[in-house]
Structure formats: C-alpha cells, structure tokens
Amino acid sequence: MALKDIYVCVDCLMAIANNDYSGLDYHYGPEEAERRMEEINAGLAELGWVSLGDQDLDKEFDNQPCDCCGDIDAGARHHCYVEEKTDA
Ligand SMILES: [Zn+2]
C-alpha cells in the first residue's frame, strides 16, 4: 500500500486521532462548529483511510489549505498519511 503525506489542521487532527469534535464547540459558535464538522467529515470521507503521521514532520505554521477539510486559515498543520489512490 502506497502512502501519501498530507497535512491537516488541528480540527481535523482531533477528529482523526480521537474522533473528537469538542474543540469545535470551544473555538467556534454553534453554527460555525456545525459547518466545520461537516467540512471535516466531508474531507475524511473523501480521503478514506487516514493514519496519524510523524509528529517530527508537523509544521508549526503553514499557509497552505488543510488537506482534509480545505480550511484556509493559516496555522499549524499536522502530518498524516493517507492511502494513495491509484487510478486503475
Ligand atoms: Zn482540516
């Protein structure tokens, strides 16, 4: 299985690592939290299998969009692996 590196925002990291969306309620208002959760779930569904990556490869600050939810807020990005999709 070929693995591909992706970088995700902390919201996605929590969802991947702990299936934990509680941080959203803390950081956002109720409607925004709901919207972010949908974005994250859509991203995870698109990515399929996701595994936590190497913390040494985490970026403390990056302005690239999150590879999962597409969040464009610059900030920390956490390394994860996804299974590389091969178009047969
Ligand atoms: Zn994200």
Side-chain angles (χ1 to χ4, degrees), residues 8-9 12 36 40 66 68-71:
V8 303
C9 67
C12 288
R36 291 288 292 133
I40 292 165
C66 169
C68 179
C69 67
D71 186 15

Side-chain angles (χ1 to χ4, degrees), residues 43-68:
L44 289 174
E46 176 73 21
L47 290 171
W49 181 90
V50 185
S51 172
L52 295 180
D54 187 342
Q55 287 185 358
D56 290 342
L57 296 176
D58 285 359
K59 300 176 182 179
E60 272 180 46
F61 186 87
D62 193 31
N63 54 16
Q64 295 298 308
C66 169
D67 285 328
C68 179

Side-chain angles (χ1 to χ4, degrees), residues 13-25:
L13 181 76
M14 288 299 157
I16 293 164
N18 304 320
N19 199 26
D20 177 11
Y21 296 86
S22 61
L24 297 176
D25 295 327

Side-chain angles (χ1 to χ4, degrees), residues 4-8 16 47 50 67-68 78-82:
K4 194 173 86 168
D5 302 308
I6 62 167
Y7 286 89
V8 303
I16 293 164
L47 290 171
V50 185
D67 285 328
C68 179
H78 301 271
H79 181 245
C80 287
Y81 292 112
V82 292

